Structures are given as structure tokens and as C-alpha cells.
Amino acid sequence: MPSPSHRNVQTRPTRPSNGRTRHAAEREERKEHGTPEKSRTPKRRTQSPERSPRRERTPQKRTRSPDRRSRRIVVEEENESESESELELRTPQKRREKSPAWTAQTRRRSPERKSKKFVVEEKHKSYESDTTARSSNPLSIDSLAKLDALNEKTGGQVKEREKRDRVWSEKKTVKEKVATGRVAKEKVKHRRRSDGTYGKVERRRVVSGPLLEEGRSKRARGGFVSADERKGKRRFGKRCWIAFGVVVLLLIILIPVAIVVSKKKSAPSGGSGSSTSGSDPSNSNLNGVSENDIPTAAKNTILDPFTWYDTTNFNVTYTNDTVGGLSIMGLNSTWNDTTQANQFVPALNQVWAYGTMPIRGVNLGGWLSIEPFITPSLFNTYQSNQNIVDEYTLSNILGPTKAAQVIEKHYSQFITEDDFASIQAAGFDHVRIPYSYWAVTTYPGDPYVPKISWRYLLRGIEYARQYGLRVNLDLHALPGSQNGWNHSGRQGPIGWLNGTDGALNAQRSLDLHTQLSTFFAQPRYQNVITIYGLVNEPKMTALSQSAVVDWTASAAQIVRKSGMNQTVAFGDGFLGIEKWQGQLQGISGLVLDAHEYTIFDAGLIALNHTAKVQYACTGWTGQMKLSEDTTTGYGPTLCGEWSQADTDCTTYLNDVNAGTRWEGTLQSTDRTVAVLSPDCPSKSSSCSCSSANANPSSYSNTYKSWLMMNAEAQMSSFESAWGWFYWTWTTESATQWDWKAGMANGILPSKTWNRNFNCTSAVPDFAGQGLTIDYRCTKRQRQVQVVGAGIAVPDPH
């Protein structure tokens, strides 16, 4: 029985050959037999969900398609002799011939409940015999007219439907809409089937990804079927797009890495060039460490190793433990103090007899306290009117984020473990490590990068331990600046013990030493840190001398109270060694730190080359011996800084873009007064920095011999006291301040103890050997009175 929701659509009956309709003949027959006439006016069934009682009818033969698709039922009367009125059956592609297979096909309701045009086919014999299915009463004339009109109308609908079908078959399938993240099932479409029949074509649920991967669907993502796909052409699938995405991602990652990783840059003018060498560290020790191991409160802080530029040889296991309020993050829990720097000195866990066994050490200048002349590359990219002259202005112009990136990279690359190994191999037994107060903390208004240098300082100490090197820990910059020079952090006025915040900065400095001495009083440092410096180069010529002495006494007491028994160093403040006689005698374990240079004093820079060597042997030696004797000086004394340079020609040595004394171009700065006439030995325009700043490969043999002798004479002199620390281990371009470069160029000994000259030997006449380019001789002997030393040195001319 047909579905009650379908409309009954009658077909136009065929006419018999005599011209009358079959129904008219039947009516006449009924009249003859006295059979009452029954109306056959077609009634339209409603689509109400409530079904009316069904009339009993004899079931017609019904066939069903195996794919359960909808059918168009064609009913034609079987009257083979009347072919002219035979109803032509239509399909979307071609006209079908009458076939027994189409005589009694069933109808199926569309799920969309849309009206369909059905052509009902009944066999003539069945029609006449089945009185329950069809009434034998003839139709009225009025009813017949209505039936004819309806059949004409539906016939037009068939043509219109076929036209729409042809258009629809050429259109692409509409993509299904995705709502709230779900893929809805597409509506059933009545379309032309592959076998040419017309009916429902139900689309499968479009879940294209899994189906495509399993090979169970040929539909494109979203249900869209392209023309190429319909033709059998293969298009890009999900896997292709995934592969394409992976390639793009790799390019995004690898291209910046390839740009960042650069080859080691060679040093200009013979310098070591360590600050620009090397590539980014691998940080392989973070492998296996999860970022989830870092507490939420510590992420993106100084304690988060995933924010560190360099994790090499750091312990990256998170800890928030502190000693003296200072973090131990990055340190290993064990250490070994049995290492010996060389065969001539004791191992770390053995006593060093200071005063009888000379120190042979080197500074790590320009590393944790940046100096323009050591690393000019950090400063020479700016215009002079930007006034980038120190770490303060450098950090300020870079800003917090960029400054942290640039400066930490400098910390990582300028001094590495290889440097400590090379220092040991060169015969050194001590290293002096300058660092700044912002390794511990910063204060309001400070642009410095805070605390990052702290872990590099601790790692540097561990490297020193590893190679048996003892450490002189030097606080190189205090709050407010203790001397107003660029290596104190900020060039300009002195704000330590001076000015509006002088007292505040003095107390801040004492608080820093409370923390630092508490931290370094730990047992792990008692053998490796053997000298603890209070402050580098306080400018006592511009400060209250008594205030500096009082502060020094307070700081030394704090260190002792914290439990440190190591030697405590204090600077001579440029007063002259003899001025310290009788000072600070009530505190044991102090050593006076003097910095000896011949190029920052007008009287010493004017000495010729022979006189400079002689002064090193007599002048420095005499001062060391005077200071060692408590009846004439303070007592224990060492030389914390010196160099072999005979000029102040090195770029940025006298502040950025300040000029030189040697050529008479030194402009007045906060650091020094102007020197506008040459201070070189000839005191003339012949003075030139070209020779001093040239690549050492161009040095004459005589000049190289003098540089070596000048260095060996100073080493000999300073060893008459506690010993010395050369300034400095490495630079970018300043060869005469660079032990590493000097050793490589044959102007410094390959081992600190392999020396050909000592002050018991005669000093040769370098002027007679041609080293007179910058010296103007006179015809008579004259005496050069050395300022502050009281020692007469004969002029070789």
C-alpha cells in the first residue's frame, strides 16, 4: 500500500478505437444492467500526521530497488492495439520503451515530504477483474473533465521537472554546513541515479579525514566534489597538506637559526676577539628536563633555566635555596679542591704562603664589568651624539629586554671554560674576577641588567677551581660609582660617599658585602677564593680620605663577622703607596692593592723606552719594598693591575672618543683634564699612535724586544712584594693590553716563569737600536725626575 503521505496522481486514460472513452462505454454497460453509477472524482489526500482509516484495496504488485531508492511509478493501460494514445515514459536522459519490468513498480515516500509526480501503471486485465481496487462505475462528464485537466497539468510538470533535473545534474554538490563543531548529515537529494532512473540519492555522512585516510571515500574535505575528482584526477589530500605544513614549519625554524649561527670572527689589530667568537650554545643539558619541573611562580624569572641564554656546565635542576639571600641555582652540590695549577704551586686544598710565594695572576677585565676599550664592538655602532660611553648608557639605550639579550651573550662568549684552561696552560696560578653590584641587585632608576652575571660569576669560580686557579674576587662597581669612570658602570659624577645619595650608597655597599661575604664564607669557597676585594679604585683624590678609610674598616669587619678568613684587599685610591703607612692596622688579614701604569701620568708617559724599563726595575721595585715595610708603608702589598703598553693610544682607553695624551688630543672629561699638546717623549707633532695601534705582525723586532723586556721588568719588580695580576687576559683589539694576544704574537712569555730578563741585567740602549721614532734627544745628559717616586733615572741621551 502506498504511503499515506504521498499524493495520488491519476493518469489520463487511453481512448478506445471507436472514439469513445473506456469509461463512457462502462457507463452505458452499467445502465443496461441496472448497476448504480459510482463517482470517481479524484480526491487529494491531506498530509496530516493523523491517518484516516484506510480503504481495503487489493494489494498491487510492488517491486523494490536493492539500493532502496525512490521510484517513479508509471501506470499504463495494456492496450497494444491503441499505440497512438500510449503514454510515453520519460527518464532524465532518454525515453524508455515500455517494458514488463515497469508495469507495476511501487512508489516510495520522500523523507522531505515533497510532492512527486507519479505515473500509475495498471494492467488492463487486473483493472477489469479487481473490482475492489477500481470501481466499474463510469465517471461523470464533469469528473472526467476535471481528470483531463489534472492530467494535462501533471504532464507539464513532468517536462518542467526534467528540465530542472538536467540543470541540477550539472551543478556541484553543495558543501555541508558545519554548526557548533559538528558535521551534519546532508539532506537527501532527489537526483538522477547512475542507472538513469530518477529518485532519492542519499549522501553519506561527510567525515572526510578518516575516510580518506582509510581509502573508503573519494569525497573531498567538506563534501565538495571537484570536476577533476569526478573525472578521476587525483588532487591534494590531507597527507599532502600535512607534509607541506611540516616543510614550511622547518623553513621558519631553520632560516633564522642559519642566520644567527656565524663563524668565529678574527680579531682586529691582533686582539683575541673573544667577545665575538663562537656560536649559540647547544644547552643540551636541558634535554630530559621538563618545563613543568619549574614552579609557576619561578617561570620566566632568573631561576628558570629555560630563560637562560647559556646553560653550559650549569646545574639546571631547579632550586630556590639561597645563602645570604643569594641564589645557589646553577651550582653543583660537590666540588674538588685537589687540583694544582702547575708543578710550582700547591694544590687548592693546601696553604699558599702569601708574601713568600709570588702571585702570578691575570685579570678577566671587561667580562662581568664591561669596559669600552676591551669590547669596543658594543659601543662603536652608535653615533657620538648618542653619548653611549659606559654600561649605564648602553643598557639604557638597548632597553631591559634587548640589553639582557646582548649582555648575557657577551657574558657567555667573552670568557669561557677554554679561557680558564688556557690561563692555566700559560703558567698562571691566580685569576682576578671583576664584577659589578648589579650581579646581586639593582636600585630604582638603574638600567643595568640585574642578577644574570651572578651565575656567570659562580660558574667562573668553578672553572677556576677545575684548573687549580685561586680567585681574587673584585667588586669593581659600587652603587653611585666610586670613581666616576666608565668601568664603574657609569661615567660622570661620583655618587658613592659623595653627593645627595652618598651616604645611602655607602650603606647599600655595606649591605652588599654582608650578603656577599655570607655567601662566600661557605666551605666550598674557602680554598678557591683566597682574596676578597672590597672596592676597585676608589678615587680618593676626589673623595674624603677619612670617609673612605672608615668605610673600608666597616666593610672589612662585616666580612670577618660573616666568617670569611680569606685575605681582604683594599685599593690605594691613587694616593701613593707611602700615604697608607699606619692606616687600618687594627684589622688583620688585609692587603693593599696598587695599580701601576706608566701611561696615565704626564711625567712617566714622556720617558723613552730605555728609561721606562729602568723605571720598572728601580721605580716599581722601590715602591713595593717601601710599602712592604710597616715602618715606611702599610705592609702587605700586591699589584692588582698593570700592562706592557707604552702609550695611551688604544681606542676608548681614555673614555669613548676622548683622544690621547700621547698625541695631545685628550679632551676634558669627568675622568681627566684636557691634554692638548703631545705628551710623547718628543713632545712634538711627530708623536703618532699609528705604530702602537698597528697589527703586531708589523712590529719591528726591536719594538717586540722592548715590549717583552718591559713586561718582564715589571713582573720582576712586583714579585718583590706579593706578586701581580696582568690587565687583562683578552680583548677584542688592544694587543698591548691582551695577554692572550701578546703571547700569540711573541711579545709576552709563553709561561709566566719563562723570562729572559730580570732587573739584575743591564738595560740596552733601545734608541741606539733605532727605537727613537718618538723621542727627541738632547746633546747633554739630563735627569728625569719621576713624579711621586723620588728616584732619579739617567737619560740615555
Side-chain angles (χ1 to χ4, degrees), residues 491-502:
Q491 180 178 312
I494 300 173
W496 179 76
L497 294 177
N498 188 54
T500 304
D501 294 328

Side-chain angles (χ1 to χ4, degrees), residues 759-774:
C759 288
T760 62
S761 306
V763 179
D765 182 1
F766 286 100
Q769 297 180 24
L771 199 60
T772 59
I773 185 171
D774 294 322

Side-chain angles (χ1 to χ4, degrees), residues 36 46 138 144 207 210 276 310 332 350 357 373 386 394 457 481 508 543 554 671 689 702 708 721 744 751 760:
T46 63
L144 185 60
V207 186
T276 56
D310 184 1
N332 292 311
Q350 298 174 357
M357 181 178 293
F373 95 90
Q386 292 180 281
L394 177 65
L457 173 63
S481 176
R508 285 171 172 173
L543 294 169
S554 297
R671 179 168 182 160
C689 285
T702 303
M708 178 73 80
K751 295 285 187 182
T760 62

Side-chain angles (χ1 to χ4, degrees), residues 242-348:
I242 291 175
F244 178 78
V246 170
V247 171
V248 172
L249 182 61
L250 289 174
L251 290 174
I252 293 173
I253 295 173
L254 294 177
I255 291 175
V257 172
I259 294 173
V260 169
V261 177
S262 60
K263 296 181 179 180
K264 185 176 290 187
K265 184 185 292 184
S266 59
S269 301
S272 301
S274 300
S275 67
T276 56
S277 63
S279 58
D280 292 341
S282 64
N283 295 339
S284 59
N285 55 337
L286 281 175
N287 295 339
V289 179
S290 173
E291 293 191 51
N292 294 329
D293 295 338
I294 311 301
T296 302
K299 288 184 177 180
N300 297 317
T301 70
I302 201 71
L303 299 180
D304 184 356
F306 290 93
T307 66
W308 300 355
Y309 171 76
D310 184 1
T311 64
T312 307
N313 291 326
F314 283 117
N315 182 354
V316 294
T317 302
Y318 171 78
T319 178
N320 63 352
D321 291 345
T322 61
V323 176
L326 299 176
S327 175
I328 66 171
M329 179 69 185
L331 288 174
N332 292 311
S333 58
T334 59
W335 61 89
N336 180 11
D337 287 344
T338 62
T339 309
Q340 190 176 2
N342 58 67
Q343 66 271 29
F344 303 112
V345 298
L348 293 176

Side-chain angles (χ1 to χ4, degrees), residues 36 73 77 96 180 249 269 304 307 353 389 401 406 415 417 437 469 481 599 639 719 793:
I73 301 176
E77 293 191 37
R96 290 188 172 273
T180 65
L249 182 61
S269 301
D304 184 356
T307 66
V389 297
T401 302
V406 170
I415 296 293
E417 181 183 352
Y437 75 82
L469 302 168
S481 176
I599 60 172
C639 178
E719 288 178 13
V793 179

Side-chain angles (χ1 to χ4, degrees), residues 661-687:
R661 297 174 183 83
W662 187 263
E663 293 181 326
T665 58
L666 182 63
Q667 302 296 319
S668 178
T669 66
D670 294 315
R671 179 168 182 160
T672 186
V673 296
V675 178
L676 301 179
S677 60
D679 266 351
C680 68
S682 66
K683 302 285 186 179
S684 69
S685 59
S686 63
C687 299

